[in-house]
Amino acid sequence: TVRANGRSRVMAALVRRISSGISRHPLAVNVVSGTLLSGIGDVVCQLVAEEAPHLDRRRLLTMVIFGAGYNGGAVTFIYGLYPRLLPLFPAVFHTSPTRKAMASVLMDQIVHCPLIYTPVFYLVTGVLQGATLSEAAGELKAKYVESVVACAGFWTPYMFFNFRYMPPKFHVLTMQGGNLAWNVIIDYIAHR
């Protein structure tokens, strides 16, 4: 019991520190967490899901760069746009927290994932791993439908919870928690 209370105090202090940091420096906290969680997700994918005999360091570096730039950086701004776009549809989506969350999920799954995230993921990671832009585009074309369907299946319920119950300052960080699992999924689809 004493040990559990000590762990609880440590966790509470960690949550307070993260909350304070994300309030003061949201982009920096999101980039650091995106970097770390994308790297961990790729290591798990390579060594556990794919049972690779050794770690592909170039691929790991690619995922870390993508995690920092996109999952940490770009998504900080993208998710910041959602609340600004909702008032454009006041009769439908601006009436309750549940409808706002549903609208954010729809924007995420109808616009962001299929039109921005998935193409950027395949093009950027492909080129960073040594493919030509044409080769990366071919990979995107070959795996687009599977990736978008997996994205919708995984992220729709997760992001509904995120947008409905988490404070806006934690949307990116909460998404990155899910990204730990998602990176294993999209990494596996992309690299098999």
Side-chain angles (χ1 to χ4, degrees), residues 8-191:
S8 295
R9 283 194 299 273
V10 169
M11 286 303 294
L14 180 61
V15 168
R16 281 193 304 276
R17 194 163 189 156
I18 290 170
S19 180
S20 173
I22 207 160
S23 293
R24 289 181 300 178
H25 309 288
L27 182 60
V29 170
N30 290 337
V31 167
V32 168
S33 61
T35 301
L36 293 173
L37 293 171
S38 293
I40 292 168
D42 185 58
V43 169
V44 169
C45 183
Q46 288 190 52
L47 300 180
V48 177
E50 297 172 359
E51 300 177 343
H54 60 84
L55 193 63
D56 179 340
R57 293 178 197 275
R58 184 173 187 171
R59 177 175 144 182
L60 174 60
L61 180 61
T62 296
M63 293 305 293
V64 165
I65 291 169
F66 185 80
Y70 194 89
N71 296 336
V75 171
T76 298
F77 297 104
I78 291 169
Y79 286 179
L81 292 175
Y82 291 3
R84 293 182 186 143
L85 295 173
L86 293 180
L88 299 175
F89 310 98
V92 180
F93 295 123
H94 203 62
T95 57
S96 74
T98 298
R99 286 184 177 207
K100 289 178 187 178
M102 287 173 24
S104 294
V105 169
L106 285 173
M107 283 189 272
D108 215 40
Q109 295 308 312
I110 294 172
V111 178
H112 178 220
C113 181
L115 303 178
I116 302 169
Y117 169 80
T118 302
V120 170
F121 174 81
Y122 279 100
L123 296 175
V124 169
T125 61
V127 168
L128 287 175
Q129 290 180 68
T132 66
L133 191 54
S134 178
E135 291 167 338
E139 191 73 10
L140 167 63
K141 185 177 178 182
K143 296 181 177 173
Y144 180 80
V145 172
E146 181 181 11
S147 298
V148 170
V149 168
C151 189
F154 179 84
W155 286 112
T156 298
Y158 190 90
M159 292 309 285
F160 177 78
F161 169 83
N162 186 12
F163 290 127
R164 174 63 179 92
Y165 298 105
M166 299 304 292
K169 73 179 182 179
F170 288 114
H171 286 170
V172 175
L173 194 59
T174 302
M175 176 274 303
Q176 290 175 353
N179 243 359
L180 193 55
W182 173 248
N183 284 343
V184 174
I185 295 166
I186 193 67
D187 228 2
Y188 183 77
I189 292 170
H191 294 100

